[in-house]
Amino acid sequence: MTTTEAANTAPSRLVRSFGRLAHLDPDRPVVTLFSGGLDSSYPLLRLRRMGLREVHAVSVDIGEDESGPYKRLVAEALGARLHLLDRRA
């Protein structure tokens, strides 16, 4: 099964808009992509304000000049656990 097929068969697990955030179970873990910028930090803030207990922020290091410690600081301040994946070539 491809990623697209998996996404189409389980739409209740995917959140594609802020309007669907209200349907999340606060007792289940949530995973989101995280760059450390405003566009990926804002969803973490929304999830924290909603009272979600287990939020995981995933960031992929592809060798660009990014700051892992800064990302960790932002994620933790917003109540998320950062998972920094090293995918440098």
Side-chain angles (χ1 to χ4, degrees):
M1 179 181 291
T2 68
T3 303
T4 302
E5 291 169 336
N8 290 334
T9 60
S12 63
R13 291 183 167 178
L14 298 175
V15 175
R16 296 177 188 260
S17 71
F18 287 122
R20 293 199 56 199
L21 288 178
H23 302 291
L24 293 177
D25 180 349
D27 295 322
R28 297 199 58 185
V30 174
V31 178
T32 183
L33 294 175
F34 182 66
S35 68
L38 181 61
D39 59 335
S40 62
S41 298
Y42 183 68
L44 295 181
L45 175 64
R46 292 278 301 257
L47 294 169
R48 184 184 74 173
R49 287 182 176 171
M50 290 175 55
L52 274 88
R53 295 172 183 80
E54 189 176 348
V55 178
H56 300 270
V58 177
S59 184
V60 180
D61 181 353
I62 58 172
E64 296 178 352
D65 188 26
E66 298 178 342
S67 173
Y70 172 76
K71 287 180 183 180
R72 187 166 313 282
L73 179 70
V74 172
E76 289 176 358
L78 295 172
R81 180 174 174 211
L82 179 65
H83 302 271
L84 189 55
L85 306 177
D86 186 353
R87 296 297 183 257
R88 293 175 278 176

